[in-house]
Amino acid sequence: MSIEEIVTAYHAAMLHKSADELADLYAEDALHEFPFGGLAPFKGREEIRAAYRAMWGALPFKPDEVRRVSLHQATDPEVVLVEQDTFVTVAGQSITVPGLLVLRIRDGRIVHTRDYMDTGAVTQVRAAAASLTAG
């Protein structure tokens, strides 16, 4: 897969909340890290699949849109930076979650992801989701 195809498929997986679609983009021994998210890294395609299945399965909503803001090729030909906005509606609230992905892609598969999310926006999403189950 090309970089363009991988990024498009990555965003489609997010929109569908499909752990299988996402994990299938990764190499078997890939690493997915959250430097600002407070989550332990996911090691290997199957751990990525299981972790995203659990995380996305626990959210009582789907994103309305995942919009690519920009895509930059680094000087290292394996590295691409993807700036994105994820738009969600939770409990009647529209929330935008900005994010940045630093992807290392080798032989058409993601081998390493550093996933930076706006933690304040993620907190808003979690609070709105909690209000759905509390009320």
Side-chain angles (χ1 to χ4, degrees):
M1 291 180 105
S2 70
I3 289 171
E4 179 69 30
E5 291 169 324
I6 289 170
V7 172
T8 298
Y10 194 107
H11 286 163
M14 290 174 63
L15 189 60
H16 304 145
K17 286 176 46 176
S18 173
D20 290 329
E21 288 177 32
L22 184 69
D24 289 347
L25 299 172
Y26 281 82
E28 187 176 329
D29 60 348
L31 177 65
H32 189 115
E33 297 179 293
F34 301 91
F36 298 146
L39 298 171
F42 304 150
K43 298 174 183 172
R45 180 189 302 139
E46 296 314 313
E47 187 173 317
I48 292 166
R49 184 183 319 274
Y52 269 96
R53 184 171 286 132
M55 276 194 318
W56 286 343
L59 299 174
F61 60 89
K62 283 178 49 175
D64 300 317
E65 179 184 2
V66 180
R67 184 180 304 158
R68 180 188 314 171
V69 176
S70 64
L71 186 144
H72 298 285
Q73 182 75 50
T75 17
D76 180 333
E78 292 187 344
V79 176
V80 63
L81 290 82
V82 183
E83 184 182 0
Q84 63 196 24
D85 286 329
T86 304
F87 300 90
V88 298
T89 303
V90 188
Q93 295 180 52
S94 295
I95 303 169
T96 303
V97 182
L100 176 71
L101 298 170
V102 179
L103 304 173
R104 179 171 293 278
I105 299 169
R106 187 177 302 133
D107 298 326
R109 298 272 185 201
I110 299 169
V111 296
H112 187 196
T113 297
R114 292 180 60 84
D115 191 343
Y116 298 90
M117 295 174 281
D118 179 332
T119 55
V122 171
T123 298
Q124 284 182 302
V125 170
R126 288 181 179 147
S131 76
L132 290 173
T133 57

